[in-house]
Amino acid sequence: MKQSICVYCGSNAGNNPLYAEAARRVGTYLGENGHTLVYGGGRVGLMGLVADAAIGAGGHVVGIIPDFLHEREVAHSGVQDLKIVSSMHERKQLMADASDAFVALPGGIGTMEELFEIWTWAQLGRHEKPVGVLNVNGYFDGLLEFLDNMTGEGFLQDKHRKMLLESDRIEDLMDGFERFTYPGVITHLEREQT
């Protein structure tokens, strides 16, 4: 099934060449398999690499970038469908609306913010789409351990923890996206009855 996949990732390439290699692999995989890449519209860092690879593999790419970043000439001029919006909030909403699933590659605080926001929206029932992390070179190991601790301490429901898919291979994440079943929300009343 052809999907639109939102990729969150760094506007830097990171220190380890494995991150750039993974971004290229993701873009190539999406392009070769007829999926649409939805991303932040930039030409720098992992963002630019994943877009270049998707375009190079014949894929369709949707980039969504706020005007203040476009004005700094960070926008990717080769993207077929580049949307310029007025705010980060509008960017994230349009990316969410245009996507069937979401994957975070290594990145900084912006990537983490996007990942947590889209996952929170799912937890709250604002969408029922799968969310995952591509755990390149163990980049997300510490975060995943923290999330397990959060669950153990009773701040994250187990079914919501399990909503965040994880793999070091894009192929496995895509398989998980196709098998994903939304677990539903838990209300405070339901928590009190368990």
Side-chain angles (χ1 to χ4, degrees):
M1 176 172 58
K2 307 303 183 210
Q3 295 184 307
S4 293
I5 306 298
C6 182
V7 174
Y8 303 126
C9 58
S11 59
N12 293 306
N15 296 328
N16 191 322
L18 289 175
Y19 302 136
E21 180 184 320
R24 288 187 194 99
R25 192 167 59 247
V26 168
T28 299
Y29 176 88
L30 295 178
E32 288 180 346
N33 289 280
H35 301 293
T36 296
L37 167 66
V38 179
Y39 87 117
R43 63 173 168 77
V44 295
L46 297 187
M47 286 199 303
L49 294 173
V50 73
D52 287 341
I55 293 166
H60 183 71
V61 178
V62 176
I64 304 172
I65 192 166
D67 51 10
F68 74 92
L69 289 177
H70 181 265
E71 290 167 5
R72 294 181 192 170
E73 300 182 332
V74 179
H76 194 307
S77 60
V79 169
Q80 302 101 322
D81 187 358
L82 184 67
K83 300 178 190 316
I84 302 169
V85 297
S86 62
S87 70
M88 293 293 284
H89 294 292
E90 186 180 2
R91 174 201 224 179
K92 291 185 292 182
Q93 184 65 61
L94 285 177
M95 289 170 75
D97 292 344
S99 302
D100 299 308
F102 308 88
V103 59
L105 276 62
I109 58 174
T111 301
M112 296 303 107
E113 187 263 344
E114 290 169 319
L115 169 64
F116 275 93
E117 182 170 60
I118 204 67
W119 185 22
T120 300
W121 289 1
Q123 179 187 13
L124 296 173
R126 306 313 300 161
H127 71 81
E128 299 182 1
K129 303 171 186 179
V131 180
V133 295
L134 190 70
N135 194 15
V136 180
N137 195 39
Y139 183 79
F140 289 103
D141 285 352
L143 175 63
L144 297 170
E145 183 180 339
F146 174 72
L147 295 173
D148 290 338
N149 182 63
M150 186 185 291
T151 304
E153 294 294 331
F155 290 101
L156 177 62
Q157 295 293 317
D158 186 58
K159 73 176 184 176
H160 292 144
R161 168 63 184 93
K162 290 176 180 171
M163 281 194 322
L164 184 66
L165 307 178
E166 54 198 73
S167 178
D168 61 354
R169 292 174 21 94
I170 187 60
E171 297 85 355
D172 295 340
L173 275 181
M174 292 296 292
D175 287 344
F177 290 167
E178 288 193 19
R179 293 190 312 270
F180 178 77
T181 301
Y182 181 71
V185 299
I186 294 180
T187 66
H188 285 285
L189 181 60
E190 289 172 317
R191 277 193 205 116
E192 292 167 4
Q193 293 171 349
T194 59

